[in-house]
Amino acid sequence: MDSSLVEGGLNVTLTIRLLMHGKEVGSIIGKKGESVKKMREESGARINISEGNCPERIITLAGPTTSIFKAFSMIIEKLEEDISTSMTNSTATSKPPVTIRLVVPASQCGSLIGKGGCKIKEIRESAGAQVQVAGDMLPNSTERAITIAGTPQSIIECVKQICVVMLESPPKGVTIPYRPKPSGSPVIFAGGQAYAVQGQHAIPQPDLTKLHQLAMQQSPFPIAHSNQGFQAGMDASAQTGSHELTIPNDLIGCIIGRQGAKINEIRQMSGAQIKINPVEGSTDRQVTITGSHASISLAEYLINARLSSEATGLAAN
């Protein structure tokens, strides 16, 4: 299949999601929204920018491939221009590459990486850009970030090739999209709903609720919900219990993560306590999860998600 989506006569409708820092987004929006308005008019693509005063924002480009790549090129040019401007007042001698992050469903990353990394290697070599697929999913989502760095031309070529692969292997199952959160808001569960706490307010988090409900469907426990006050990071159901899992030693690393980062994230998201102990006379480890029923099932769900991504070879880094 021709990797140039447009020239190959394939003008399908596409959606590309880009994850950007607030500062970059400000530059793309421009004064009074002039810059993004011009991009919309000239490209014909739908350009949507996520709301919120978050350190990160998502820019969604949607429309026929010709429009998308026109809009995408304009965004890259703007970022390149910003780098050049910042160079004039800087002492740096070499110009840094343009770097962008795509957000894609984790279920499509296997096809993008290819067997033993052959597909991603092929894309790197033919486009001439650096491409890195994150080993972990973005918080509270089933999406991963793909970081691409290089010259504007190499990035555009690289994204075209990634789009071809993604069109050939659509996402599997439910995708929970990544939504950037205002920095550092604690999460609480109450009555089966998830909320982020910001100041005096509890703001509903539909994605976390969806993740929570998915965990419930796979839960071996009868869930008893009550609304007696909030407990940070936990469901409001008061009963606590514990649950044990046995995990082979060679897989425990993917759950613990570098310097315990993964296990801490699972503890934080689920609100459960998790202890890992060796099993005597065996190569397995025993994982004990303690907390409310909802916390336990959410922790189990997150652990299983890690194990299944390891099994498909995606959590390699």
Side-chain angles (χ1 to χ4, degrees):
M1 180 170 169
D2 188 343
S3 80
S4 52
L5 288 166
V6 182
E7 293 83 336
L10 176 70
N11 196 19
V12 291
T13 303
L14 266 185
T15 300
I16 293 180
R17 281 158 58 74
L18 302 170
L19 182 56
M20 293 203 177
H21 297 297
K23 194 173 155 217
E24 296 169 321
V25 173
S27 152
I28 285 158
I29 294 172
K31 280 196 179 82
K32 295 185 183 164
E34 304 246 315
S35 179
V36 73
K37 184 171 175 250
K38 182 171 177 247
M39 286 179 188
R40 285 185 179 121
E41 284 168 3
E42 288 188 18
S43 68
R46 287 196 302 282
I47 304 175
N48 187 10
I49 298 166
S50 70
E51 289 297 317
N53 52 349
C54 307
E56 293 181 321
R57 309 272 287 276
I58 297 245
I59 296 186
T60 308
L61 308 178
T65 43
T66 33
S67 303
I68 290 278
F69 286 114
K70 174 79 177 130
F72 186 65
S73 307
M74 290 173 86
I75 286 175
I76 299 289
E77 276 162 30
K78 188 77 190 87
L79 296 177
E80 165 86 346
E81 200 181 293
D82 291 347
I83 291 172
S84 303
T85 311
S86 67
M87 288 292 291
T88 54
N89 315 326
S90 137
T91 51
T93 44
S94 59
K95 189 174 180 182
V98 177
T99 304
I100 61 134
R101 285 178 298 167
L102 287 184
V103 181
V104 302
S107 60
Q108 290 179 293
C109 287
S111 318
L112 263 178
I113 294 167
K115 233 186 188 139
C118 64
K119 189 72 204 166
I120 198 99
K121 186 166 178 270
E122 182 192 308
I123 293 175
R124 275 184 195 123
E125 285 170 4
S126 64
Q130 294 170 287
V131 190
Q132 207 54 51
V133 180
D136 293 326
M137 290 192 252
L138 287 156
N140 309 329
S141 78
T142 56
E143 292 193 302
R144 289 173 195 258
I146 300 177
T147 307
I148 305 164
T151 63
Q153 263 36 62
S154 67
I155 292 176
I156 292 162
E157 179 53 34
C158 180
V159 171
K160 283 186 179 176
Q161 294 194 29
I162 288 173
C163 287
V164 170
V165 177
M166 288 173 68
L167 286 166
E168 286 174 345
S169 35
K172 294 179 267 302
V174 181
T175 298
I176 299 175
Y178 174 58
R179 291 212 174 105
K181 299 276 178 283
S183 42
S185 49
V187 170
I188 52 177
F189 288 109
Q193 300 290 316
Y195 301 86
V197 183
Q198 288 171 31
Q200 301 299 305
H201 305 284
I203 292 141
Q205 299 291 324
D207 295 337
L208 259 180
T209 301
K210 205 190 296 181
L211 188 62
H212 191 257
Q213 284 161 352
L214 271 172
M216 292 302 137
Q217 288 159 18
Q218 315 204 350
S219 161
F221 307 107
I223 305 298
H225 280 306
S226 66
N227 276 327
Q228 299 152 359
F230 288 139
Q231 238 176 321
M234 288 193 186
D235 195 273
S237 51
Q239 295 99 322
T240 56
S242 78
H243 190 65
E244 289 177 352
L245 301 172
T246 308
I247 292 174
N249 221 353
D250 53 352
L251 285 177
I252 202 77
C254 80
I255 288 161
I256 295 172
R258 279 201 195 116
Q259 296 172 327
K262 265 302 21 123
I263 194 83
N264 283 339
E265 191 183 301
I266 293 172
R267 283 184 182 121
Q268 219 174 346
M269 274 179 74
S270 65
Q273 292 178 310
I274 304 169
K275 290 195 172 70
I276 298 172
N277 296 309
V279 177
E280 266 185 54
S282 156
T283 56
D284 293 340
R285 299 276 190 103
Q286 189 173 41
V287 178
T288 308
I289 307 167
T290 319
S292 69
H293 293 326
S295 306
I296 292 172
S297 47
L298 189 51
E300 256 197 292
Y301 177 72
L302 295 165
I303 287 171
N304 286 330
R306 286 296 297 163
L307 290 172
S308 60
S309 68
E310 178 74 7
T312 50
L314 296 183
N317 17 357

